[in-house]
């Protein structure tokens, strides 16, 4: 059903996969307001990442846990730059592969690999629960981490099961990128110019709050969010919203934590709560 979002202004906070998200929204007729709000860079010091890759090649891990698709892609980017990509793929093929939700699985498939299992919910607690059902005693586990998160609970849980955990952090966030864009987005919401804010990862919530605090506009942000419907792609984002005292108005049906189901849910709720009058 094309044009389900015709006439609605949808704000997206661009981080990783929002180019595709923007395209899908535009295909449904939405007026997409794009707010580039964070930049992702390779790890500032590539040496530890390269060393991890070489360890994985020389002695493949028993298990690999991928927390993000971005992380897998950054690992492959560095491996290609060092001429190690084919060797890394061959090594990872020998490991059992576990993912936090579907996005890392997609990144694995891009290099011809398949996950053995993914979490029911794309959260760290979901990873702890999934791995807690396995016998990991004596296992070497390669664990890909992501920035701006305390991963100690996950690392401790795996270690408590008798595993030797080898972590890698292959990318970094630039926390100061695009503050002017975020300020403009807050102004738009406060003025009632946005129908719906669509969130696809929890880092967007943190970045929005942090930027508002840094510029003294948190009160304006919260007022704007009272006027704006908030759409969340899944429980990780909704949990982060709740942690900041914010609500979720729209989420995908039947635990389908993907962009297309989110867009379908947005179209339904917007039609109910903000019907367009022909004219």
């Amino acid at each position: 059903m094309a044009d389900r979002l015709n006439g609605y202004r949808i704000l997206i906070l661009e981080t990783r996969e929002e180019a595709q998200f923007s395209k899908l929204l535009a295909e449904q007729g939405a007026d997409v307001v794009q707010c580039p709000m964070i930049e992702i860079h390779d790890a500032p010091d590539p040496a530890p990442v390269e060393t991890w890759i070489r360890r994985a090649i020389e002695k493949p891990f028993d298990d690999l846990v991928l927390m993000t698709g971005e992380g897998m892609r950054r690992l492959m980017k560095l491996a290609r730059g060092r001429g190690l990509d084919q060797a890394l793929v061959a090594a990872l093929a020998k490991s059992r592969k576990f993912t936090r939700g579907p996005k890392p699985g997609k990144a694995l498939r891009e290099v011809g690999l398949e996950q053995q299992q993914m979490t029911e919910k794309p959260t760290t607690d979901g990873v702890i629960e999934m791995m807690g059902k396995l016998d990991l005693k004596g296992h070497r586990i390669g664990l890909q981490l992501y920035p701006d998160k305390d991963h100690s609970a996950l690392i401790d849980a795996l270690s408590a099961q008798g595993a030797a955990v080898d972590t890698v952090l292959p990318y970094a966030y630039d926390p100061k990128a695009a503050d002017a864009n975020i300020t403009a987005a807050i102004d738009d919401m406060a003025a009632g110019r946005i129908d719906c804010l669509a969130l696809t990862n929890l880092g967007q919530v943190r970045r929005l709050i942090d930027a508002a605090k840094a510029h003294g506009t948190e009160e304006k942000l919260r007022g704007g969010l009272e006027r704006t419907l908030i759409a969340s792609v899944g429980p990780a984002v909704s949990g982060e919203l709740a942690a900041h005292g914010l609500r979720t108005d729209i989420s995908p049906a039947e635990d389908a934590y993907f962009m297309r189901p989110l867009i379908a849910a947005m179209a339904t709720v917007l039609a109910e709560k903000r019907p367009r009058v022909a004219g």
Side-chain angles (χ1 to χ4, degrees):
M1 292 175 58
D3 298 328
R4 290 180 296 178
L5 296 175
N6 188 42
Y8 291 109
R9 298 193 83 214
I10 310 297
L11 174 64
I12 64 171
L13 309 178
E14 296 185 343
T15 53
R16 289 178 293 189
E17 296 185 354
E18 278 63 35
Q20 177 192 0
F21 192 31
S22 177
K23 180 175 181 290
L24 293 173
L25 288 166
E27 287 174 353
Q28 297 299 320
D31 178 5
V32 182
V33 179
Q34 298 172 314
C35 176
M37 65 179 307
I38 199 167
E39 291 183 5
I40 299 177
H41 302 288
D42 295 332
D45 181 4
V49 183
E50 180 179 347
T51 300
W52 185 94
I53 289 171
R54 291 186 182 278
R55 284 198 299 270
I57 292 171
E58 291 167 8
K59 187 177 180 182
F61 298 115
D62 298 300
D63 303 304
L64 174 69
V65 178
L66 294 172
M67 300 296 282
T68 64
E70 183 73 34
M72 178 63 191
R73 294 185 182 98
R74 295 278 169 168
L75 288 169
M76 290 306 305
K77 177 184 175 183
L78 181 58
R80 280 192 294 273
R82 302 295 191 271
L84 299 171
D85 49 322
Q86 293 185 6
L88 179 59
V89 170
L92 297 184
K94 300 175 182 179
S95 305
R96 293 189 303 180
K97 289 165 284 295
F98 302 90
T99 64
R100 185 185 69 123
K103 291 181 180 179
K106 180 181 178 182
L108 281 170
R109 289 191 293 276
E110 290 170 3
V111 295
L113 299 174
E114 290 287 342
Q115 65 200 15
Q116 271 64 54
Q117 188 177 348
M118 74 173 182
T119 57
E120 293 184 8
K121 294 183 178 181
T123 63
T124 296
D125 287 343
V127 175
I128 292 173
E129 181 180 354
M130 173 179 65
M131 302 304 290
K133 297 176 182 178
L134 304 173
D135 181 5
L136 302 179
K137 187 175 182 180
H139 280 220
R140 291 175 60 252
I141 296 180
L143 173 61
Q144 172 260 309
L145 305 177
Y146 57 92
D148 295 349
K149 168 74 174 180
D150 180 0
H151 297 280
S152 58
L154 173 57
I155 295 169
D156 290 348
L158 296 173
S159 298
Q161 291 176 247
V165 184
D166 191 340
T167 64
V168 63
L169 181 57
Y171 61 102
Y173 294 145
D174 177 356
K176 297 298 183 182
D179 275 15
N181 295 322
I182 298 172
T183 299
I186 291 172
D187 288 343
D188 277 346
M189 288 190 287
R193 293 192 288 265
I194 301 297
D195 294 299
C196 182
L197 167 64
L199 299 165
T200 56
N201 72 74
L202 60 84
Q204 295 167 334
V205 181
R206 294 175 183 166
R207 181 77 176 96
L208 191 60
I209 295 290
D210 289 347
K213 288 180 178 178
H215 292 274
T217 57
E218 186 177 4
E219 184 176 348
K220 178 186 277 192
L221 169 62
R222 291 184 179 275
L225 291 173
E226 286 297 320
R227 305 185 64 176
T228 307
L229 292 173
I230 304 174
S232 161
V233 76
V237 176
S238 296
E240 190 68 20
L241 285 166
H244 293 284
L246 300 172
R247 71 194 187 284
T248 296
D249 298 307
I250 304 169
S251 56
E254 299 177 357
D255 296 339
Y257 309 130
F258 302 95
M259 292 178 185
R260 290 183 189 276
L262 176 61
I263 291 170
M266 289 164 60
T268 299
V269 175
L270 281 164
E272 292 173 355
K273 295 193 175 184
R274 299 198 176 186
R276 291 300 183 190
V277 178

